[in-house]
Amino acid sequence: MLVEVNDKKVREYLKSMYLDFKLSPIKNEESSFLRDTLRKVVNNNKINLISGGFIFDYVSKQLENSRSYYLEKHMSMRDDMSYSEHLEIIEEVYQEWEYLFKWLNEIFSIENNFGLRTIKFKERV
């Protein structure tokens, strides 16, 4: 089953996330898979259970960390910016993740059974 990505903000956020992964110097199996997944969603403007689940998992993991964690990480990578500039960027990214999480949560449900995560499409009425 495919769901059209009809929310303009979500499309923009997914596209910016894809570009971040595309330009990222970190090249591991997980980031490559996520980049390819995001590319397919951005190009087709549709999301399926596997790609949606993978993006949902990534976004929810990011939200589990505090803003201060990302602020520290960002500051260690970019020392040419002021604290307020770092803070502004992290707040913006966090808002994107929160918006994406809310949107994904409207389409998918995650069930945790004894450590096993199951992602399903929610029933449409």
Side-chain angles (χ1 to χ4, degrees), residues 36-48:
D36 293 342
T37 301
L38 287 162
R39 178 181 49 78
K40 289 173 188 165
V41 172
V42 167
N43 289 344
N44 298 330
N45 204 30
K46 288 181 172 39
I47 198 163
N48 65 21

Side-chain angles (χ1 to χ4, degrees), residues 1 106-107 121-125:
M1 182 177 167
E106 290 171 5
I107 297 166
F121 277 112
K122 283 188 175 176
E123 293 286 324
R124 298 283 175 158
V125 181

Side-chain angles (χ1 to χ4, degrees), residues 42-84:
V42 167
N43 289 344
N44 298 330
N45 204 30
K46 288 181 172 39
I47 198 163
N48 65 21
L49 187 62
I50 295 169
S51 57
F54 200 74
I55 295 167
F56 198 175
D57 193 49
Y58 174 78
V59 169
S60 57
K61 279 180 186 170
Q62 300 311 307
L63 285 171
E64 284 172 13
N65 289 318
S66 68
R67 286 173 169 83
S68 57
Y69 167 83
Y70 292 107
L71 186 60
E72 249 179 68
K73 196 173 171 184
H74 199 264
M75 287 173 74
S76 70
M77 290 166 52
R78 297 279 314 264
D79 58 358
D80 60 331
M81 298 169 75
S82 70
Y83 181 82
S84 59

Side-chain angles (χ1 to χ4, degrees), residues 6-60:
N6 52 14
D7 186 307
K8 190 178 178 185
K9 259 187 179 178
V10 170
R11 284 199 306 261
E12 286 173 17
Y13 294 161
L14 290 172
K15 190 172 188 176
S16 81
M17 196 189 297
Y18 164 63
L19 293 173
D20 287 347
F21 273 98
K22 189 176 176 185
L23 300 173
S24 172
I26 300 165
K27 304 287 184 217
N28 58 33
E29 196 175 324
E30 186 182 23
S31 67
S32 295
F33 186 74
L34 190 55
R35 184 195 63 231
D36 293 342
T37 301
L38 287 162
R39 178 181 49 78
K40 289 173 188 165
V41 172
V42 167
N43 289 344
N44 298 330
N45 204 30
K46 288 181 172 39
I47 198 163
N48 65 21
L49 187 62
I50 295 169
S51 57
F54 200 74
I55 295 167
F56 198 175
D57 193 49
Y58 174 78
V59 169
S60 57

